[in-house]
Amino acid sequence: MLKIREEVRKSVWSAILSEVQTQSSTKLPSNKSVLVLGDNASGKTTLIAKLQGVEDPKKGSGLEYAYIDVRDEYRDDVTRLGVWILDGDPGHNNLLKYALNESNYAHTLVILTLSMTTPWSWVEQLQHWIKILEHHIAELKIEPEEKSQCRQRLVTVWQSYCDTIDELDPGSPIKRTNRLSSVDDDLDALPLPEGVLTTNLGLDVVVVVTKTDYMTTLEKELDYRDEHFDFMQQWIRRFCLLYGASLFYTSVKEDKNCDLLYKYLTHRIYGLPFRTPALIVEKDAVLIPAGWDNMKKINILYENMQSCKPDDDYNDIIAQPPSRKTVSNREIEVQTEEEQAFLTRQLQLLQAGQTPTRGESPMRSQSSAGKTTPRTPGSGGAQGSPKKVDGKLNPSTPSGEGVLANFFNSLLHKKSGSPAGAGGGAGGVGGTSPNLPGTGISPRATTNGATVGTGPGDLVSASEKLSMRTDAAMELDRLTRSVKKDLDFGSAQSDC
């Protein structure tokens, strides 16, 4: 009797253990991962943050790691999908061994990202990253049998693909049966279409074109037309055929195809249902799952291409535009002279007996540019000064006092309201004088109602005169501000 009870107890425990083992085998695996490759500014971090549900992505460097929560609604199971994001800097390519190695080769999916903001660089970018990926896989010490199984799995995906209808009712039994066929479906294997999987890496590859909302900018600024976008699409679809890759056009800004990309990744990695058919109508929301495309479907795009042919060089049709000036209103940066070099040069001029020259100030240039250039004596008119005034600073006089002294001396020697030819100039000479030979003007000509001297020693250049007046005005303004500041300070002290 005891022996019978013991056998029954063992059989019960065996049944429980068997059931637990069966249930554990149907759970979502936790060793799956995604490797994201692409140039910098191609939208890798932003795309993964969108799949995670993070609204404020933070860009890292080197090799970043993140994870995406995956939930199986049918089995009520949750797992985490690891995501590796490799920096676009070529100096970080050696970190690829930590994201893709012999232990996770069969459990890794690769995403290649491109940006719609730079479509002229697609060829270079894709060839660059595919070459890096091929070279890295070739160096991995993977068992030949395991590599062969991974390659055969990709071939079976293409051979067993069947179209599906996107039903409205998520609980429809038809929708569960009419889905993308899995690798285990027992279907008659069809031969691969022409040009498909000519290079079989043994890895699921998804090409993602990001920032498709930039298409409107390409149309407005670079005059892109529908045939340009068709040419770009047919080229990248032909590339995807070579590696058996899927194609997604996404826009995080406008939330296009991001949710579908998440569902497709869970379908390819965990075998969860994906019932959305291929989408090729909207040019900025293309979705082409692996196994759907072929050259006959791509040929449909050729009908809209009038000014180009499919075999044309990609960079001839989608050429990089000339660099544009992004800054137009920024002032030109002035490079200042090193202080010691400036002082050394001034010392050399003083030792040589020369007066240091002043550089042209921007304010003086602007004030001079806004006035009409005075006529020279040879042009039929003269503009002189009763006493020649040197507009340059005198080293022995403070700058402010020297400028004011010159300015007020010139005012004292001017005689306002005198008619042309009237006396009263510098040196007390009065009356009229004969015209200067060859000039047609009197030695004492009237300019703007003021008698000015035009003798050989009284002529002063227009630039020096304008410089003197501008410096005087600036000094007066400075003195006014200084007096006002002193008054305000004294008033504040009295209030206290």
Side-chain angles (χ1 to χ4, degrees), residues 244-265:
S246 311
L247 177 62
F248 276 77
Y249 277 30
T250 64
S251 172
V252 174
K253 182 178 180 180
E254 298 182 356
D255 196 15
K256 289 191 175 181
N257 278 354
C258 295
D259 291 340
L260 292 178
L261 176 61
Y262 167 81
K263 294 179 180 178
Y264 185 75
L265 292 178

Side-chain angles (χ1 to χ4, degrees), residues 185-220:
D185 290 338
D186 187 13
L187 298 174
D188 295 335
L190 299 175
L192 289 175
E194 178 187 359
V196 174
L197 278 175
T198 57
T199 303
N200 193 336
L201 300 177
L203 295 173
D204 283 322
V205 179
V206 180
V207 178
V208 179
V209 178
T210 63
K211 307 177 184 178
T212 58
D213 52 276
Y214 196 77
M215 286 183 171
T216 56
T217 305
L218 294 175
E219 292 174 338
K220 294 178 181 178

Side-chain angles (χ1 to χ4, degrees), residues 356-367:
T357 58
R358 292 181 58 184
E360 186 70 17
S361 80
M363 184 174 294
R364 187 184 306 120
S365 301
Q366 294 175 3
S367 62

Side-chain angles (χ1 to χ4, degrees), residues 74 167-176 275:
Y74 295 102
E167 299 287 343
L168 296 178
D169 183 11
S172 172
I174 300 178
K175 190 173 182 179
R176 293 190 180 183
R275 308 176 183 93

